[in-house]
């Protein structure tokens, strides 16, 4: 097993994409609930409560955006690792072929 394949296995075992996605799913649920509460705060004329909810929604937005960027980086890293593995395999096959031809 090559070093690159070991790295790939380690990354896959960490399952980072699914962990990040779980947090994103939770935040989406929280945002939905906050939007319902914000609507109630507007209807009952509670501006302080409304503003606090808006602040929470903004914080969730920033957190969600950051997690999406992390998820994209992880997916890109997976693609890079796979590309390196394919290069190593190709180089290994070429090396074996050149040895056989000698």
């Amino acid at each position: 097993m090559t070093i690159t394949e070991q790295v790939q296995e380690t990354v896959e075992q960490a399952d980072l994409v699914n962990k990040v996605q779980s947090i994103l799913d939770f935040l989406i649920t929280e945002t939905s609930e906050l939007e319902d509460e914000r609507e109630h705060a507007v209807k009952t004329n509670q501006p302080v409560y409304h503003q606090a909810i808006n602040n929470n929604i903004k914080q969730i937005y920033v957190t969600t955006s950051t997690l999406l960027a992390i998820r994209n980086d992880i997916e890109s890293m997976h693609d890079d690792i796979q590309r390196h593995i394919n290069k190593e395999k190709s180089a290994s096959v070429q090396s074996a072929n050149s040895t056989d031809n000698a």
Side-chain angles (χ1 to χ4, degrees):
M1 180 180 287
T2 66
I3 300 262
T4 311
E5 288 173 326
Q6 290 172 352
V7 169
Q8 180 185 28
E9 185 176 313
T10 301
V11 170
E12 287 175 356
Q13 286 176 352
D15 200 19
L16 298 174
V17 171
N18 284 332
K19 290 175 182 172
V20 169
Q21 188 60 50
S22 294
I23 297 168
L24 287 168
D25 293 344
F26 171 75
L27 292 173
I28 290 167
T29 302
E30 288 297 304
T31 301
S32 177
E33 291 174 12
L34 283 171
E35 288 171 350
D36 291 343
E37 288 184 36
R38 178 174 60 186
E39 186 177 317
H40 176 72
V42 170
K43 286 180 181 176
T44 58
N45 195 25
Q46 298 177 21
V48 174
Y49 185 50
H50 177 253
Q51 186 59 44
I53 292 170
N54 279 341
N55 290 340
N56 286 337
I57 291 172
K58 288 176 189 175
Q59 291 169 350
I60 289 175
Y61 175 79
V62 170
T63 304
T64 301
S65 297
T66 303
L67 287 169
L68 285 170
I70 291 169
R71 187 182 69 186
N72 289 339
D73 290 347
I74 293 167
E75 289 171 348
S76 177
M77 180 180 61
H78 279 265
D79 293 344
D80 288 346
I81 290 170
Q82 193 60 49
R83 194 173 333 99
H84 288 296
I85 288 172
N86 291 339
K87 280 183 183 178
E88 286 181 9
K89 287 180 180 177
S90 177
S92 176
V93 167
Q94 288 177 354
S95 176
N97 286 342
S98 66
T99 304
D100 290 344
N101 292 335

